[in-house]
Amino acid sequence: MHDAFRPDYPILTPRLALRPHRADDLDDLFEFHGNPEVVRFLPWPVRDREATNAALVRKLDQATLTEPGQWLVLAVELRETKTVIGEVLLKWASAEHKQGELGFAFGRAHQGRGYAAEAAAEMLRLGFEDLGLHRITAVCVDDNEPSARLLRRLGFTQEARLVDNIRFNDGWATQLLFALTEDDWRTPATASSDQEEILALVHCYFGAFASGPGVDERMAALRDAMLPGAIIVRTCGMDPAVYDVDAFIEPRQAMLTDGTLTDFQEHPGRADWTCSATSRSGSGGTPSRAA
């Protein structure tokens, strides 16, 4: 027999409220449960409104843990608009071994803004500090690069690559297994880890600013790689300018998708950079370092 675990709701972060689901969340949930781009990496099919409501009914009773094996499933509400933009999950996998599992899903319109990192970080705190877990795992399919990148940012280590481990979308899927212990969660990243993360961010940054297919996905990945509240400082060729992530990315994303730049790629170098571009008129150009 175990004591029931029920956090004090809502759980507030700077931009989000994590809370139990309510019956009136249906419209918001259907926005992403019914979106093929969102569910392509999730263990459920695209849902119509009826199926989304059936899933919501099950979630209404998943705000308290009474025994191992249960999931805590919380709505992620944007505090500014009171809109449910996603959900986060924490499984109490084992009381004896103090094991848990993390999960998350967010609407397409709200990906790439640091919300998943903000909500997941709070669920890790909840698991380690309040539930007393020693180790939390997370699993994603091999193709789900944004989730794998987010887990690494949160401090997780990839422990295994499980080839053809599950049936998924009418085929076999390879899964990546990640884990984070309480000790590693409480220990600041080492200098080498910081350097690796910086290098990965640099490559993600320069890789995002390229014309051609996949611009929106690369920009979403770049947003996910940024910490909540991050700023970008442009210092080359003109007076310094400071941008928040959206103010910097959105006009550049528009140029890469509306035909203004049709053959553009930036490349990081050791001391400087190179880029090439063809504008809509066909003339070459040399944009600023900040794209």
Side-chain angles (χ1 to χ4, degrees):
M1 192 72 177
H2 302 278
D3 293 334
F5 174 76
R6 183 179 178 87
D8 292 330
Y9 296 117
I11 303 168
L12 300 180
T13 70
R15 298 179 295 172
L16 308 171
L18 314 184
R19 59 161 176 80
H21 283 86
R22 302 191 302 251
D24 61 359
D25 290 335
L26 177 58
D27 289 341
D28 291 339
L29 258 63
F30 183 52
E31 283 291 318
F32 61 95
H33 281 237
N35 187 329
E37 287 299 307
V38 174
V39 305
R40 64 186 176 128
F41 293 130
L42 298 175
W44 68 69
V46 176
R47 288 170 171 160
D48 59 18
R49 189 176 181 84
E50 181 179 358
T52 302
N53 187 61
L56 174 58
V57 169
R58 294 191 295 270
K59 297 174 192 293
L60 297 179
D61 293 326
Q62 292 183 295
T64 303
L65 298 175
T66 59
E67 60 184 30
Q70 295 179 339
W71 285 89
L72 197 68
V73 183
L74 304 181
V76 179
E77 183 181 272
L78 194 60
R79 294 174 62 180
E80 183 178 4
T81 63
K82 306 300 183 184
T83 302
V84 174
I85 62 172
E87 42 195 359
V88 285
L89 305 84
L90 181 66
K91 183 180 182 179
W92 186 15
S94 170
E96 179 183 1
H97 303 293
K98 298 185 177 182
Q99 303 288 301
E101 183 176 347
L102 176 71
F104 46 81
F106 281 78
R108 186 70 182 86
H110 302 285
Q111 294 177 9
R113 301 177 185 275
Y115 296 135
E118 188 171 326
E122 183 59 23
M123 292 298 274
L124 291 176
R125 185 205 63 77
L126 191 74
F128 287 126
E129 290 192 347
D130 296 352
L131 191 54
L133 298 177
H134 173 69
R135 182 173 180 269
I136 296 176
T137 62
V139 177
C140 67
V141 295
D142 198 14
D143 294 335
N144 192 350
E145 294 180 4
S147 289
R149 186 165 45 247
L150 172 58
L151 291 169
R152 292 186 179 99
R153 278 185 54 210
L154 291 168
F156 282 78
T157 299
Q158 182 180 327
E159 294 188 341
R161 183 174 183 268
L162 309 174
V163 178
D164 289 355
N165 194 52
I166 57 168
R167 292 288 295 174
F168 189 77
N169 291 339
D170 299 322
W172 289 103
T174 295
Q175 290 182 302
L176 304 181
L177 173 63
F178 292 85
L180 176 65
T181 66
E182 180 187 6
D183 290 342
D184 288 341
W185 176 70
R186 295 184 182 277
T187 302
T190 64
S192 60
S193 297
D194 288 344
Q195 292 167 0
E196 291 172 1
E197 186 170 350
I198 290 169
L199 181 61
L201 178 58
V202 168
H203 283 284
C204 182
Y205 175 90
F206 281 96
F209 294 109
S211 54
V215 170
D216 291 340
E217 289 76 9
R218 291 194 298 275
M219 292 298 180
L222 178 58
R223 285 188 171 98
D224 281 336
M226 298 285 188
L227 292 171
I231 62 170
I232 297 173
V233 182
R234 186 190 64 197
T235 61
C236 60
M238 57 189 73
D239 293 335
V242 179
Y243 303 85
D244 65 30
V245 173
D246 286 337
F248 184 83
I249 287 179
E250 287 173 358
R252 291 155 177 82
Q253 183 172 356
M255 287 192 293
L256 291 168
T257 55
D258 67 6
T260 301
L261 296 175
T262 58
D263 185 13
F264 180 89
Q265 176 70 61
E266 285 200 287
H267 308 280
R270 274 182 276 180
D272 56 5
W273 62 284
T274 60
C275 75
S276 60
T278 302
S279 68
R280 190 181 333 205
S281 63
S283 60
T286 306
S288 73
R289 184 172 187 170

